[in-house]
Amino acid sequence: MEKDYSQLYSQRAREMKASEIRELLKLTQMTDIISFAGGLPSPDAFPIDIVNNICQELIVKDGKLALQYAATEGVTKLREVLADRMNRQGMDITHRNVLVTTGAQQGLDLIGKTFLDPGDIVVLGAPTYLGGTNAFAAYMAKMESIPLDENGMNPDVLDEKLHHLHRHGKNPKLLYVVPTFQNPSGVTMPENRRRQLLEIAYNYDLLVVEDNPYSELRYEGDNIPSIMSLDTEEKVIYLGTCSKILAPGLRVAWTVAPKPILNKLVITKQSTDLCSSTFCQYVAYEYIAQGYLDKHIEVIKALYKKKRDIMLASLEKYFPEGTTWTKPLGGMFLWVTLPEYIDTGQMVERAIENKVAYVIGSAFHADRNGINTMRLNFTYSSDEFIEEGIKRLADTIKAEIEAHEKRTRESPYKPDKDGIITGV
Amino acid sequence: MEKDYSQLYSQRAREMKASEIRELLKLTQMTDIISFAGGLPSPDAFPIDIVNNICQELIVKDGKLALQYAATEGVTKLREVLADRMNRQGMDITHRNVLVTTGAQQGLDLIGKTFLDPGDIVVLGAPTYLGGTNAFAAYMAKMESIPLDENGMNPDVLDEKLHHLHRHGKNPKLLYVVPTFQNPSGVTMPENRRRQLLEIAYNYDLLVVEDNPYSELRYEGDNIPSIMSLDTEEKVIYLGTCSKILAPGLRVAWTVAPKPILNKLVITKQSTDLCSSTFCQYVAYEYIAQGYLDKHIEVIKALYKKKRDIMLASLEKYFPEGTTWTKPLGGMFLWVTLPEYIDTGQMVERAIENKVAYVIGSAFHADRNGINTMRLNFTYSSDEFIEEGIKRLADTIKAEIEAHEKRTRESPYKPDKDGIITGV
């Protein structure tokens, strides 16, 4: 019998649950399922030959440095090229505003660790990136959700919520947003909303955490400035990553912050892992400095745009009436809303029987709403499988709709909200 | 003027200080100082050509996997070779007991995050590894120190301390030890002490955290079983790392734990960084699986044994009467104790003027004792600089002793403990 250590766990650990996404991923990896569940880039997008060349040069040239500990802040020359890149996208920073992290997930963890005491409030979208919620929940923060629309977070709704919280003596510390090609919904906040959001953050003395892994993967439309580049009051912490534009297996990402905050994050990182992989930082540096990144992003975009188009066309072709979905202009995900009576959490078993997988929408809601929604990833599956997968999923949904209609026809009784039969 | 964000920081972040070691390291890297301060392996110990060959093969063979996200637990085949290796060292585990982490420092962080609520007690040595103390302090734990002797932690003293704490209603959760070639002192706990320590841990229902980065770097004497390999009650969490036997820049380390604890640590890691660098895990796997690790450890040991011998001989030759030091049988550090009236924290400025650096002993004491002690690293400096550095350090110490003797001769008054002149 396994020993029970539960009395020894911290309160946070007792409350933690395994990410539903990562558990689901394991399942889908073991079978012949067409998976729209993961948040994985396509391996076809990895610049394998370039990385090979870089490694060979790098080990000979800088091996002793690349295999040694790095400064906690990260390798200086990598921080410099990242700062340059951010400045070309409208920011005004130096490498001293940049901290290299082990994935942007570590940036979220360090922000949680640096800012959140138990009971502190984080305001975030519903839906929002599950890894953000989990990172903050690990520090016992409370989440307050703002429902999103097709333009992301609505500043008026946000303002109302903050007003309400303040009236009840609650002062949130962080506002967490994924403003561009959001994970999970694919929606993007327009510039005017970003400006309004900043004004609200200034009014309520909130720090904005702008998580921006996808903005360089734009397949149509014009670029929109990052929230940080619009900020005039140093109230934004920004997270960028190489995971979606180079390769996630390097785990090279970066956090941009006002200097006092950055210094605090560095101290927090010291006790967390001393430094991120020096070797991977050197690979990322060479990749960017030698000009491969910009060229290769075009390759990735062409690849993913095609996949997105196939998925959108397949949805149009196969999905039944009563279902809707977002039409993202970039990124990796889109968001499907089914009739209200369908619980995607219950349907997932049938989907997997039909050899197709998605992530249930409620996983992305801190308030566990969104039970009739799902996230679909369009970047990982090969082109030919996307149409087939959407067809399988459409069949699964149609069966749910038919079963529901059959139940409705057969029973003159209607269950009320609590599921209790209340009679004719 | 810089903005002040301090009212937004979490309580833990307000209490965190930058590691004195890492701050000192920055200083010593900028000058022509001979530094015994860092905990760095010698770059001469890095198997650069082997890593180069491995990378070339690996990217061609497994590039798509090595650049993708990994499971949070780590790459399975790496976990398997690590489990095999641990079993050859007397453990009885499978890969399901192994979690790959970003440096052993992340193992410490995940243990803190998983077990420690504010006010929980961690028992540890005085001195002990600063990164351990900092990792646990970040979760607002309280430290209780057990003074070490030349055989590490004395079980009788530990038992007495635990008895005392229990009588006052305090039940520590973790016992943190670096039993072999300890950082910072270089001392090693003999097997009988390890067995006694386990009995005490069983009696008081304590989890033992065995941090073991150095045991494979033994320059003389017989191997001593790890505490985990002696454990019969599944009460030990073990931390191993490639940092000292391959290269720290890969940040590949591992935590071994009973399965329920390992599963909990995995969930904790999910929200912390999703996974460690897949690419570096593949490099480490190939390095171990192809049999390079065992061969190369012999190269490192020969290199470091010579450095240790040079440092010990130089200490013997140059250090003044009244100073003592440990004679480690392995590892990277030794520990110097100066006359009680010398404060190594005040002396460090003079040492740096004399172009030599060490880490002040009090940094390794959670209770800030040990002000007349220092840690010396013997692995990083080149052979020819070790003797010169020790000579400079000896001169610095001699100057302190002479100044003290001069003060004592000139003044018939003696300051009492509080530094107040109390008269003849």
Side-chain angles (χ1 to χ4, degrees):
Chain A
M1 211 189 72
E2 279 197 342
K3 253 185 138 77
D4 179 19
Y5 298 87
S6 51
Q7 81 289 353
L8 288 171
Y9 295 136
S10 62
Q11 200 186 331
R12 80 173 61 79
R14 274 177 236 164
E15 291 177 13
M16 273 179 202
K17 288 187 314 171
S19 154
E20 290 159 273
I21 298 182
R22 294 190 74 80
E23 296 307 307
L24 187 60
L25 274 182
K26 279 190 211 166
L27 184 68
T28 59
Q29 277 165 0
M30 284 186 284
T31 63
D32 53 345
I33 283 172
I34 297 177
S35 178
F36 303 132
L40 302 183
S42 168
D44 298 335
F46 300 156
I48 289 181
D49 293 339
I50 304 170
V51 172
N52 195 4
N53 293 340
I54 285 174
C55 283
Q56 286 181 43
E57 283 171 30
L58 154 63
I59 296 174
V60 174
K61 192 175 64 173
D62 284 327
K64 289 190 177 186
L65 290 168
L67 292 173
Q68 190 56 281
Y69 288 104
T72 304
E73 292 84 340
V75 170
T76 305
K77 61 186 182 182
L78 173 61
R79 296 162 71 208
E80 284 167 352
V81 293
L82 290 170
D84 283 353
R85 194 172 172 78
M86 294 290 90
N87 287 341
R88 285 199 304 277
Q89 294 173 14
M91 290 193 194
D92 180 20
I93 60 167
T94 75
H95 74 280
R96 290 183 198 283
N97 299 101
V98 179
L99 167 67
V100 179
T101 60
T102 308
Q105 186 68 38
Q106 191 189 37
L108 294 168
D109 175 59
L110 297 176
I111 290 167
K113 201 170 180 181
T114 303
F115 289 100
L116 298 174
D117 285 317
D120 279 351
I121 297 171
V122 179
V123 178
L124 34 68
T128 195
Y129 172 55
L130 179 61
T133 316
N134 285 348
F136 302 141
Y139 297 99
M140 314 287 290
K142 300 284 169 229
M143 309 301 152
E144 289 286 348
S145 298
I146 311 287
L148 303 191
D149 61 28
E150 66 277 19
N151 290 312
M153 198 177 276
N154 181 331
D156 295 335
V157 180
L158 172 66
D159 196 44
E160 207 170 294
K161 169 72 104 181
L162 290 171
H163 184 71
H164 176 82
L165 288 169
H166 262 252
R167 271 218 334 244
H168 291 79
K170 293 174 177 173
N171 303 309
K173 269 187 177 172
L174 303 179
L175 170 59
Y176 173 65
V177 280
V178 188
T180 308
F181 317 135
Q182 197 227 23
N183 179 0
S185 68
V187 302
T188 296
M189 289 181 79
E191 183 172 339
N192 64 332
R193 281 199 172 183
R194 296 176 188 223
R195 291 185 186 277
Q196 284 172 277
L197 182 142
L198 278 170
E199 287 306 318
I200 294 167
Y202 302 158
N203 284 344
Y204 288 94
D205 201 19
L206 269 176
L207 277 182
V208 179
V209 178
E210 179 179 27
D211 191 359
N212 194 27
Y214 311 109
S215 70
E216 303 220 43
L217 302 178
R218 176 178 280 280
Y219 315 130
E220 57 187 279
D222 294 330
N223 286 329
I224 297 174
S226 64
I227 298 175
M228 184 174 248
S229 69
L230 300 171
D231 175 28
T232 55
E233 301 279 322
E234 300 200 68
K235 283 292 194 184
V236 180
I237 305 176
Y238 175 99
L239 302 166
T241 179
C242 288
S243 290
K244 312 303 186 292
I245 53 178
L246 199 181
L250 297 176
R251 312 302 295 124
V252 174
W254 63 96
T255 299
V256 184
K259 268 179 226 158
I261 291 180
L262 199 96
N263 294 341
K264 206 71 184 175
L265 292 171
V266 170
I267 295 172
T268 304
K269 185 171 160 72
Q270 279 184 355
S271 65
T272 303
D273 69 356
L274 295 181
C275 65
S276 295
S277 165
T278 322
F279 190 78
C280 293
Q281 291 186 61
Y282 270 81
V283 173
Y285 165 74
E286 292 292 342
Y287 190 77
I288 299 169
Q290 294 185 32
Y292 291 117
L293 182 56
D294 287 315
K295 268 181 253 167
H296 191 70
I297 284 176
E298 296 306 317
V299 177
I300 299 176
K301 280 161 65 174
L303 189 73
Y304 288 175
K305 179 181 190 305
K306 190 172 168 212
K307 289 176 187 289
R308 180 204 61 163
D309 291 344
I310 296 172
M311 187 172 278
L312 286 174
S314 307
L315 286 164
E316 204 63 60
K317 186 167 167 190
Y318 296 107
F319 262 38
E321 211 177 316
T323 60
T324 58
W325 53 89
T326 58
K327 282 102 188 160
L329 303 179
M332 296 173 52
F333 304 104
L334 57 78
W335 187 250
V336 176
T337 305
L338 303 183
E340 277 190 13
Y341 55 80
I342 296 183
D343 178 343
T344 55
Q346 294 188 347
M347 192 179 75
V348 77
E349 271 181 52
R350 260 99 60 198
I352 287 174
E353 281 165 19
N354 290 344
K355 305 288 181 199
V356 61
Y358 57 83
V359 183
I360 62 172
S362 62
F364 302 99
H365 288 71
D367 55 14
R368 307 304 292 176
N369 282 325
I371 60 160
N372 60 323
T373 58
M374 63 171 77
R375 185 189 78 174
L376 300 182
N377 165 277
F378 55 77
T379 59
Y380 184 70
S381 296
S382 61
D383 295 0
E384 54 277 26
F385 280 143
I386 293 176
E387 179 167 357
E388 173 60 24
I390 291 296
K391 192 163 166 293
R392 292 180 189 175
L393 192 51
D395 291 342
T396 312
I397 295 166
K398 284 175 197 161
E400 296 290 307
I401 294 176
E402 277 159 29
H404 172 78
E405 285 172 354
K406 188 155 173 263
R407 276 197 307 274
T408 313
R409 271 198 308 276
E410 282 170 1
S411 166
Y413 303 101
K414 281 200 174 224
D416 76 358
K417 275 200 300 193
D418 296 322
I420 298 158
I421 305 294
T422 48
V424 276
Chain B
M1 211 189 70
E2 280 197 343
K3 254 187 137 74
D4 179 19
Y5 298 87
S6 50
Q7 81 289 355
L8 288 172
Y9 294 137
S10 62
Q11 201 186 332
R12 80 174 62 79
R14 275 177 233 163
E15 291 176 11
M16 274 179 201
K17 290 187 312 172
S19 154
E20 289 159 271
I21 297 181
R22 295 190 73 81
E23 296 306 306
L24 187 61
L25 274 183
K26 280 190 211 165
L27 183 69
T28 59
Q29 277 164 359
M30 284 187 284
T31 62
D32 53 345
I33 282 172
I34 297 177
S35 177
F36 303 131
L40 301 183
S42 168
D44 298 334
F46 299 157
I48 289 180
D49 293 338
I50 304 171
V51 172
N52 196 3
N53 293 340
I54 286 174
C55 283
Q56 286 181 43
E57 283 171 30
L58 154 64
I59 296 174
V60 174
K61 191 176 63 171
D62 285 327
K64 289 190 177 186
L65 291 168
L67 292 173
Q68 188 57 279
Y69 287 104
T72 304
E73 292 85 339
V75 171
T76 306
K77 62 187 183 182
L78 173 62
R79 295 163 70 208
E80 284 168 351
V81 293
L82 290 171
D84 284 351
R85 195 172 171 78
M86 295 290 91
N87 287 341
R88 286 200 301 279
Q89 295 172 14
M91 290 192 195
D92 180 19
I93 60 167
T94 76
H95 73 280
R96 292 184 197 283
N97 299 101
V98 179
L99 167 67
V100 179
T101 60
T102 308
Q105 186 69 36
Q106 189 188 38
L108 293 168
D109 175 59
L110 296 177
I111 291 168
K113 202 170 179 180
T114 302
F115 289 100
L116 298 175
D117 285 317
D120 279 350
I121 298 171
V122 179
V123 178
L124 33 68
T128 195
Y129 171 55
L130 179 60
T133 316
N134 286 348
F136 302 141
Y139 297 99
M140 314 287 291
K142 301 283 169 230
M143 310 301 152
E144 289 286 348
S145 298
I146 311 286
L148 303 191
D149 61 28
E150 67 275 20
N151 291 312
M153 197 177 278
N154 182 331
D156 296 335
V157 180
L158 172 65
D159 195 44
E160 207 172 294
K161 170 70 103 179
L162 290 171
H163 183 72
H164 176 82
L165 289 169
H166 261 253
R167 272 215 337 241
H168 291 79
K170 294 175 176 172
N171 303 309
K173 269 189 178 170
L174 303 179
L175 170 59
Y176 173 66
V177 280
V178 188
T180 308
F181 317 136
Q182 197 228 22
N183 178 0
S185 68
V187 301
T188 296
M189 288 182 79
E191 184 173 338
N192 64 332
R193 281 199 172 184
R194 296 176 188 221
R195 291 185 184 276
Q196 284 172 275
L197 182 142
L198 277 171
E199 287 306 319
I200 294 167
Y202 301 157
N203 284 343
Y204 287 95
D205 200 20
L206 269 175
L207 276 182
V208 179
V209 179
E210 179 178 26
D211 191 359
N212 194 27
Y214 311 108
S215 69
E216 303 220 43
L217 302 178
R218 175 177 282 279
Y219 316 129
E220 58 187 279
D222 294 328
N223 285 329
I224 297 174
S226 64
I227 297 175
M228 182 173 250
S229 68
L230 300 172
D231 175 27
T232 55
E233 302 277 322
E234 302 200 65
K235 283 293 196 181
V236 179
I237 306 176
Y238 175 99
L239 302 165
T241 179
C242 289
S243 290
K244 312 305 186 292
I245 53 178
L246 199 182
L250 298 177
R251 311 302 295 123
V252 174
W254 64 96
T255 299
V256 185
K259 269 177 224 159
I261 292 179
L262 199 96
N263 294 341
K264 206 72 184 174
L265 293 171
V266 170
I267 295 173
T268 305
K269 184 171 162 71
Q270 281 184 353
S271 66
T272 304
D273 69 357
L274 296 181
C275 64
S276 294
S277 166
T278 323
F279 190 78
C280 293
Q281 291 187 61
Y282 270 81
V283 173
Y285 164 74
E286 293 293 342
Y287 189 77
I288 299 169
Q290 294 184 31
Y292 291 117
L293 183 56
D294 288 314
K295 269 182 252 166
H296 191 71
I297 285 175
E298 296 306 316
V299 177
I300 300 176
K301 280 160 67 174
L303 190 72
Y304 288 177
K305 179 182 191 302
K306 190 173 171 208
K307 288 175 187 290
R308 181 204 61 163
D309 291 344
I310 295 172
M311 187 172 278
L312 286 174
S314 305
L315 286 163
E316 204 62 59
K317 185 166 170 189
Y318 296 107
F319 262 39
E321 211 178 315
T323 61
T324 58
W325 53 90
T326 57
K327 281 100 187 162
L329 304 179
M332 297 173 52
F333 304 103
L334 58 79
W335 187 250
V336 176
T337 305
L338 303 182
E340 277 191 12
Y341 55 80
I342 296 183
D343 178 343
T344 56
Q346 295 188 347
M347 193 180 75
V348 77
E349 271 182 52
R350 261 98 62 197
I352 286 173
E353 282 165 19
N354 290 344
K355 305 289 182 199
V356 62
Y358 56 83
V359 183
I360 61 171
S362 62
F364 302 99
H365 288 71
D367 55 13
R368 307 304 291 175
N369 283 325
I371 60 161
N372 60 321
T373 58
M374 63 170 77
R375 185 190 78 174
L376 300 183
N377 165 278
F378 54 77
T379 59
Y380 184 70
S381 296
S382 61
D383 296 0
E384 54 275 27
F385 280 143
I386 294 176
E387 178 166 358
E388 174 60 25
I390 291 296
K391 192 164 168 293
R392 291 179 189 175
L393 191 51
D395 290 343
T396 311
I397 295 165
K398 283 176 196 159
E400 295 291 306
I401 293 175
E402 277 159 27
H404 172 78
E405 284 171 353
K406 188 156 173 263
R407 279 196 305 275
T408 312
R409 269 197 311 277
E410 281 170 0
S411 166
Y413 304 101
K414 281 200 172 227
D416 76 359
K417 275 202 296 192
D418 295 322
I420 297 157
I421 304 293
T422 49
V424 275

